[in-house]
Amino acid sequence: MIDPSLSEAVKAVASLQGAFRLRSGQTSSTYFDKYRFEADPALLRHVAAEMVSLLPEGSEVLAGLELGGVPIATAMSLETGLPAAFVRKKAKDYGTCQAVEGGDIAGKRVVLVEDVITTGGAVADAARLIEEAGAQVIAVVCAIWRGDGPPAIAAAPGLPVFAAMQKGDLLD
């Protein structure tokens, strides 16, 4: 059960009303601005602690998705001592030219860390990149599930998704 003070705090700082286009292409009158809770150290710590409690046993690496999943994965890494990795939307074309940054994840059991998920398109893309790097994605943990129904990624139907908060926790 979610700590009600967490959902109230996130709602107070991050729930915006207006007309918003989401990454999924959908439009919404409510937007959860993750940067508003990720930029607040106390609130980020609280969100990360709630998400740590959702980690499946056997988790070896926390992989934050660019950009919003990176501060959460870092906070969770500090809390758990598990190493973090960072998943770009695509491999950069300079330097290491990698899509997955951080230590070597080959052969590891990885949990994808995301901020807000509606349909999970970015998560499915990141899962492919993690698998291409030789690791196994065992779950997804997100701060907010804003999709319809229980948390699930249509493009990765067997991948468990655990959410610290759901859309209903943040609506009036």
Side-chain angles (χ1 to χ4, degrees):
M1 185 71 182
I2 184 174
D3 175 354
S5 70
L6 176 59
S7 59
E8 287 301 317
V10 169
K11 179 170 41 174
V13 301
S15 184
L16 306 176
Q17 300 301 311
F20 303 96
R21 187 172 60 83
L22 307 177
R23 181 194 186 278
S24 64
Q26 298 174 6
T27 57
S28 178
S29 60
T30 302
Y31 183 73
F32 304 118
D33 187 347
K34 67 243 178 196
Y35 299 115
R36 292 183 178 211
F37 70 78
E38 291 176 348
D40 179 320
L43 193 48
L44 175 59
R45 184 178 298 114
H46 196 168
V47 169
E50 191 75 29
M51 292 173 68
V52 162
S53 73
L54 301 173
L55 290 173
E57 197 164 319
S59 301
E60 294 179 297
V61 176
L62 304 170
L65 278 67
E66 180 186 354
L67 175 64
V70 169
I72 299 172
T74 301
M76 292 172 69
S77 176
L78 289 168
E79 178 78 15
T80 63
L82 292 172
F86 309 107
V87 186
R88 295 177 177 277
K89 291 179 175 97
K90 63 178 186 167
K92 59 185 184 174
D93 60 0
Y94 59 93
T96 62
C97 300
Q98 296 181 49
V100 181
E101 300 285 359
D104 183 17
I105 63 169
K108 304 285 180 154
R109 295 168 46 90
V110 175
V111 175
L112 295 176
V113 177
E114 182 62 304
D115 47 19
V116 181
I117 300 175
T118 303
T119 63
V123 172
D125 293 344
R128 280 189 291 280
L129 293 170
I130 291 289
E131 289 166 1
E132 287 172 7
Q136 176 190 9
V137 178
I138 62 168
V140 178
V141 176
C142 67
I144 301 169
W145 170 256
R146 70 164 292 128
D148 295 323
I153 308 300
L159 189 59
V161 180
F162 304 103
M165 295 167 277
Q166 296 196 27
K167 176 173 48 178
D169 298 324
L170 302 170
L171 298 174
D172 291 326

